[in-house]
């Protein structure tokens, strides 16, 4: 189900729904949450939040499959057990020099697998990445809401 | 291109209805080859005008007859039935009825109107055939592209995503064939650039033909063609990105749009981060005990949970509109912005569990689920969660 609808989701460019991948994302993420909760009952909140974040990106990458360059790069990063670093801080990038020259550069840093893409592919991957990120955020929000209500 | 073709038809303008039919039937070979592959249900026949048009007989007769009374409006009426004709050929494969706006009276059609229509039809055929003949394999797709557009004779074909700039000799070959077949286009380039691509398959073994027609007044050497192809590809992707990022469609200028896109990606990543922090804080209060049996099968538990009416909920929830009918707490799309704003109002390092009252995330220590009957409450909660998802 997932593969079929995600291929059609890729092809139906105007359609842009992630219908099939959402279910997989949700189940993967919830399973991961469950595992995290079980295995780290005594550890700190920070460690757990790191693991949850990692689980979020993992479920994104798993539901996107190997069809996308960004998901392949993400899976590679996850498997190598490197620490997931994400540019959180804006301060350095707020300099005016960022304007024209570095835009593609900045985008490449943001999107996983970015540095090895040409501009055209970068835009395509960014669009897909944004879609999956939005879905993941909504998923986490739903979990959050249902748990805290 | 019209007049060149139709001069023969126009010459037989002595008024005999049958002569016109015969003249227009001469185009039949060409048109048949185009029409028949595209028509699923082409009506039987050979040699009739109805087969030519691909219409059922009564509708074709209607079409013929309606040009009689509409002679005075003349050019106003003639384009619309031809427009209908095109639409017939274009999308519906003669399946849909032809909506003729005019009441028909059984008079013979006038020569001029029929000639004009045949002229336009042949123009369309002439436009189409060289593209087809030089298309080879991807020709059905190339035909499908012009067929999708609504506009009149010159076939503006929307440029789709192109593959890497492919065989230039095929470009030149197609361009050489084009003017050879169309007398009109020898003088001026057509107003559209047609590109044939394989949209998704970037790793295809053989590259498809890239048919490029130069726009008017633009250079046609291979380098600028390739550059133009790349630029159009990039512009197409930028447009898609603009649709994805909220509030980006009104911004003009690539730099600003890219800024917006970068901001959006960064804000999404920050949201993931903060949500994971909050989930980490909430997590010990959740008893996921009964969840495992739900998650053991991917679709099974979702199907059972969705039996409560959540199936309709499922796509609706993932769209941007909140579903409040089920009592599901769901953040509408604009409120994601709210979440984004919230972390910046307080410093991220100072985020604590007892933060300021947030409208949708009150971590109430007293409302622990563990206090309740674990199995049923967790079950209930997971059901609710599943339906929400």
């Amino acid at each position: 189900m997932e593969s079929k609808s995600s291929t059609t989701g890729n092809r139906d460019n105007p359609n842009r729904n992630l219908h099939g991948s959402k279910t997989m994302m949700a189940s993967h993420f919830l399973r991961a949450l469950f595992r995290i909760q079980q295995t780290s009952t005594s550890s700190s909140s920070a460690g757990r939040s790191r693991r949850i974040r990692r689980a979020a990106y993992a479920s994104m990458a798993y539901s996107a499959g190997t069809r996308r360059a960004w998901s392949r790069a993400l899976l590679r990063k996850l498997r190598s057990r490197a620490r997931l670093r994400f540019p959180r801080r804006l301060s350095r990038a707020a300099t005016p020099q960022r304007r024209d020259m570095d835009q593609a550069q900045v985008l490449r840093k943001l999107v996983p697998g970015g540095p090895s893409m040409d501009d055209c592919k970068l835009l395509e991957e960014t669009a897909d990445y944004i879609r999956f990120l939005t879905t993941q955020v909504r998923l986490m929000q739903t979990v959050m809401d249902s748990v805290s209500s | 291109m019209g007049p060149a073709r139709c001069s023969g038809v126009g010459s037989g303008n002595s008024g005999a209805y049958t002569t016109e039919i015969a003249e227009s039937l001469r185009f039949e070979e060409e048109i048949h080859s185009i029409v028949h592959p595209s028509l699923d249900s082409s009506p039987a026949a050979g040699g009739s005008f109805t087969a030519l048009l691909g219409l059922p007989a009564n509708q074709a007769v209607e079409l013929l007859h309606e040009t009689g009374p509409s002679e005075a409006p003349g050019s106003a009426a003639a384009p619309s039935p031809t427009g209908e004709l095109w639409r017939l050929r274009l999308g519906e494969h003669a399946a849909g009825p032809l909506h003729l706006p005019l009441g028909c009276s059984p008079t013979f059609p006038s020569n001029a109107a029929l000639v004009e229509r045949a002229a336009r039809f042949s123009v369309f055929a002439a436009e189409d055939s060289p593209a087809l003949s030089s298309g080879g394999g991807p020709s059905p797709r190339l035909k499908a592209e012009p067929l999708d557009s609504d506009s009149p004779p010159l076939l503006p074909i929307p440029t789709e995503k192109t593959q890497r700039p492919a065989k230039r000799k095929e470009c030149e070959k197609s361009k050489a064939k084009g003017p050879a077949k169309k007398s009109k286009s020898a003088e001026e380039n057509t107003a559209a650039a047609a590109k044939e691509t394989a949209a998704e398959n970037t790793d295809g073994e053989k590259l498809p033909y890239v048919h490029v027609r130069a726009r008017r007044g633009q250079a046609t050497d291979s380098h600028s063609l390739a550059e133009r192809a790349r630029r159009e590809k990039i512009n197409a992707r930028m447009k898609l990105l603009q649709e994805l990022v909220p509030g980006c469609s009104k911004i003009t200028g690539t730099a600003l749009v890219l800024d917006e896109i970068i901001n959006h990606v960064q804000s999404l990543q920050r949201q993931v981060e903060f949500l994971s922090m909050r989930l980490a804080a909430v997590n010990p209060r959740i008893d996921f005990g009964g969840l495992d049996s739900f998650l053991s099968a991917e679709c099974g538990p979702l199907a059972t949970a969705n039996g409560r009416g959540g199936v309709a909920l499922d796509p609706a929830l993932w769209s941007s509109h909140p579903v409040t009918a089920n009592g599901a707490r769901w953040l509408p799309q604009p409120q994601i912005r709210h979440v984004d704003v919230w972390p910046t109002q307080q410093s991220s390092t100072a985020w604590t569990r007892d933060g300021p009252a947030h409208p949708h995330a009150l971590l109430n220590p007293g409302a622990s689920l563990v206090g309740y009957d674990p199995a049923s409450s967790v079950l209930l909660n997971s059901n609710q969660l599943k339906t929400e998802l």
Side-chain angles (χ1 to χ4, degrees):
Chain A
M1 168 189 81
E2 180 265 339
S3 58
K4 176 172 77 99
S5 34
S6 49
T7 32
T8 52
N10 280 334
R11 277 182 214 274
D12 298 341
N13 274 321
N15 226 358
R16 301 254 149 150
N17 59 337
L18 293 176
H19 203 69
S21 2
K22 287 173 193 168
T23 334
M24 181 154 167
M25 212 191 281
S27 68
H28 189 282
F29 186 60
L30 289 168
R31 248 179 286 185
L33 273 186
F34 179 42
R35 257 182 285 137
I36 291 171
Q37 201 237 350
Q38 273 192 326
T39 57
S40 62
T41 42
S42 55
S43 67
S44 69
S45 165
R48 224 179 307 130
S49 80
R50 259 200 307 270
R51 259 176 267 222
I52 292 183
R53 188 184 67 175
R54 190 193 175 89
Y57 283 104
S59 53
M60 266 174 62
Y62 273 114
S63 56
T66 49
R67 223 164 284 112
R68 286 283 168 183
W70 66 265
S71 61
R72 286 195 295 264
L74 249 189
L75 288 172
R76 239 178 285 137
K77 227 192 290 188
L78 290 165
R79 288 203 181 130
S80 74
R81 301 193 142 257
R83 293 182 60 110
L84 287 185
R85 294 184 190 282
F86 291 97
R88 279 181 46 199
R89 300 180 189 94
L90 279 183
S91 49
R92 270 181 302 248
T95 60
Q97 222 256 321
R98 163 192 180 212
R99 262 279 136 162
D100 272 78
M101 242 135 304
D102 293 302
Q103 274 178 336
Q105 199 76 7
V106 174
L107 203 51
R108 284 209 178 87
K109 259 187 277 182
L110 286 178
V111 177
S116 62
M117 285 189 236
D118 57 345
D119 286 346
C120 189
K121 194 153 177 62
L122 179 67
L123 291 179
E124 191 181 335
E125 296 289 317
T126 309
D128 204 57
Y129 187 56
I130 288 181
R131 250 182 287 156
F132 274 82
L133 260 183
T134 330
T135 316
Q136 181 69 39
V137 166
R138 279 196 216 154
L139 167 65
M140 292 171 81
Q141 201 80 52
T142 318
V143 171
M144 190 79 224
D145 288 346
S146 68
V147 154
S148 63
S149 67
Chain B
M1 27 190 160
R5 280 277 191 165
C6 301
S7 54
V9 182
S11 64
N13 207 356
S14 54
Y17 177 50
T18 46
T19 1
E20 268 124 9
I21 298 289
E23 295 291 342
S24 51
L25 284 183
R26 264 190 228 143
F27 306 148
E28 193 185 338
E29 302 89 24
E30 248 185 305
I31 296 177
H32 262 251
S33 64
I34 305 162
V35 164
H36 279 300
S38 68
L39 292 180
D40 301 329
S41 59
S42 58
S48 62
F49 194 49
T50 63
L52 191 63
L53 291 182
L55 290 173
N58 52 351
Q59 289 180 353
V61 169
E62 241 183 20
L63 176 62
L64 289 177
H65 286 319
E66 65 87 17
T67 59
S70 70
E71 197 181 326
S75 57
S80 61
T82 37
E84 304 283 0
L85 265 182
W86 281 328
R87 214 174 303 131
L88 253 190
R89 279 195 49 193
L90 294 187
E92 296 155 353
H93 301 292
L98 183 62
H99 302 295
L100 297 176
L102 310 165
C104 320
S105 63
T107 57
F108 282 126
S110 68
N111 307 330
L114 186 59
V115 161
E116 193 178 3
R117 202 175 341 110
R120 287 180 194 261
F121 205 60
S122 65
V123 161
F124 195 75
E127 283 274 353
D128 221 15
S129 57
L132 278 184
S133 56
S134 53
S139 65
R141 256 190 293 166
L142 180 58
K143 192 168 45 146
E145 286 184 20
L147 298 195
D148 280 338
S149 67
D150 274 333
S151 40
L154 288 182
L155 294 180
I157 297 168
T159 61
E160 306 216 338
K161 294 189 289 185
T162 58
Q163 222 186 354
R164 46 188 181 273
K167 307 174 180 175
R168 300 218 177 96
K169 53 187 174 169
E170 268 125 20
C171 284
E172 286 151 15
K173 222 195 304 176
S174 69
K175 281 193 296 189
K177 272 195 199 172
K181 292 229 176 169
K182 296 187 307 180
S183 53
K184 188 173 184 188
S185 69
E187 299 136 30
E188 60 172 323
N189 291 324
T190 53
K195 295 202 174 115
E196 175 62 28
T197 65
E200 288 299 320
N201 202 4
T202 54
D203 296 329
E205 307 82 24
K206 50 177 183 169
L207 303 172
Y209 293 147
V210 176
H211 301 280
V212 181
R213 294 204 190 104
R215 275 185 252 246
R216 182 152 188 194
Q218 286 194 352
T220 59
D221 65 308
S222 52
H223 293 294
S224 51
L225 273 179
E227 271 181 39
R228 206 181 325 135
R230 285 196 56 75
R231 252 183 286 137
E232 287 176 3
K233 235 204 300 187
I234 289 187
N235 284 335
R237 307 233 164 123
M238 286 286 293
K239 237 186 293 182
L240 293 176
L241 266 175
Q242 270 185 306
E243 287 167 25
L244 265 186
V245 178
C248 217
S249 27
K250 41 182 95 109
I251 303 181
T252 50
T254 340
L256 297 171
V257 169
L258 275 179
D259 271 345
E260 265 311 306
I261 292 171
I262 290 175
N263 281 333
H264 193 242
V265 171
Q266 279 172 338
S267 81
L268 283 173
Q269 286 178 340
R270 261 179 288 147
Q271 282 178 44
V272 169
E273 182 115 13
F274 285 118
L275 278 171
S276 66
M277 270 200 272
R278 288 166 61 183
L279 276 174
V282 172
N283 228 356
R285 306 172 199 279
I286 312 171
D287 187 12
F288 272 105
L291 210 57
D292 205 19
S293 61
F294 279 91
L295 296 177
S296 54
E298 219 178 52
C299 304
L302 294 175
T304 55
N306 280 333
R308 266 196 355 201
V311 178
L313 224 52
D314 199 11
L317 266 177
W318 287 106
S319 67
S320 48
H321 285 295
V323 177
T324 50
N326 211 16
R329 211 84 63 77
W330 179 251
L331 275 191
Q333 184 72 1
Q335 283 203 12
I336 289 187
R337 292 247 170 211
H338 182 57
V339 174
D340 179 46
V341 166
W342 168 69
T344 59
Q345 280 173 357
Q346 16 169 330
S347 61
S348 45
T349 54
W351 185 85
T352 59
R353 219 171 289 175
D354 317 322
H358 198 264
H360 26 255
L362 237 30
L363 303 177
N364 199 355
S368 164
L369 286 171
V370 183
Y372 299 110
D373 178 18
S376 60
S377 71
V378 167
L379 238 56
L380 187 66
N381 203 30
S382 339
N383 263 340
Q384 187 189 354
L385 183 61
K386 286 294 169 239
T387 27
E388 285 183 0
L389 291 173

